[in-house]
C-alpha cells in the first residue's frame, strides 16, 4: 500500500471497529477509550494514545457540519501497527476544539480515529474526508 493510487479507503473500515453508544463525558475520555480499543485490537503501539492526545492538543480536529459535529483525531504513522479507522458513535455529544479555530468548540457526535501506517496515506485520507465534509455542507 505504498502508492496512494492503490490506497482503498473502504478497507480501512471494519464492522468490528465501530463502537456504538460510546460513553464519554469529555473529548479526552472518548479518545482514551478509542485508543485503548485500537491498542487492544493490535492496531497501535502503546505510544499511540499519548501521541493522539498530544496531537489533538496542538492540532484540534473537531469539524462542524450542518447537521452534526465530527472529529478526526490521529497520530503519526510511527505509532501505528495495522492501518484502519475506528469509528465511535458517542452516546451523547462531547466538545472538541474546532479544527483551525483556536477558541471554537464543536459538539461532536461521531469520532473517526485514523490509524495510518504510512504518512502519505494519512494525508490522502484526511484530504478525502475533508472533501466529503465540504460536499455535505
Amino acid at each position: 500500500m505504498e502508492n496512494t493510487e492503490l490506497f482503498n479507503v473502504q478497507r480501512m473500515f471494519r464492522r468490528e471497529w465501530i463502537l456504538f453508544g460510546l460513553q464519554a463525558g469529555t473529548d479526552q475520555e472518548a479518545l482514551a477509550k478509542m485508543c485503548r480499543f485500537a491498542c487492544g485490537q493490535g492496531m497501535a503501539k502503546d505510544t499511540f494514545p499519548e501521541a493522539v492526545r498530544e496531537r489533538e492538543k496542538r492540532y484540534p480536529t473537531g469539524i462542524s457540519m450542518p447537521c452534526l459535529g465530527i472529529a478526526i483525531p490521529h497520530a503519526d504513522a510511527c505509532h501505528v501497527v495495522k492501518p484502519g479507522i475506528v469509528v465511535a458513535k458517542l452516546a451523547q455529544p462531547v466538545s472538541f476544539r474546532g479544527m483551525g479555530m483556536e477558541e471554537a468548540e464543536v459538539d461532536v457526535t461521531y469520532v473517526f480515529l485514523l490509524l495510518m501506517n504510512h504518512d502519505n496515506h494519512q494525508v490522502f485520507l484526511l484530504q478525502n474526508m475533508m472533501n466529503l465534509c465540504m460536499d455535505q455542507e
Side-chain angles (χ1 to χ4, degrees):
M1 260 189 356
E2 279 298 319
N3 188 340
T4 55
E5 293 169 11
L6 300 176
F7 180 74
N8 184 340
V9 173
Q10 290 179 326
R11 283 197 265 159
M12 299 292 100
F13 291 95
R14 292 210 180 141
R15 182 170 286 131
E16 61 268 23
W17 296 340
I18 301 173
L19 310 174
F20 292 102
L22 184 71
Q23 295 286 337
T26 66
D27 59 340
Q28 293 302 306
E29 184 179 2
L31 292 176
K33 287 181 176 185
M34 293 178 75
C35 287
R36 205 167 28 252
F37 176 83
C39 289
Q41 294 291 307
M43 300 171 75
K45 298 177 182 177
D46 60 358
T47 57
F48 185 73
E50 182 62 24
V52 169
R53 227 179 349 268
E54 286 303 312
R55 187 171 188 104
E56 190 69 21
K57 282 181 192 174
R58 288 192 320 264
Y59 307 107
T61 63
I63 302 169
S64 182
M65 295 177 28
C67 56
L68 65 118
I70 67 169
I72 310 173
H74 55 282
D76 292 334
C78 63
H79 302 285
V80 176
V81 174
K82 178 169 60 175
I85 300 173
V86 175
V87 179
K89 162 62 169 86
L90 302 178
Q92 64 278 336
V94 298
S95 292
F96 275 72
R97 289 181 34 231
M99 182 182 285
M101 301 176 289
E102 196 74 22
E103 301 299 318
E105 297 275 325
V106 176
D107 286 333
V108 168
T109 305
Y110 289 91
V111 182
F112 298 85
L113 179 62
L114 309 184
L115 293 104
M116 300 291 111
N117 59 355
H118 295 287
D119 287 328
N120 61 330
H121 291 171
Q122 189 164 290
V123 171
F124 179 75
L125 182 59
L126 282 169
Q127 287 172 340
N128 281 288
M129 290 191 77
M130 290 302 296
N131 288 339
L132 178 63
C133 292
M134 296 305 176
D135 287 347
Q136 298 299 312
E137 291 185 329

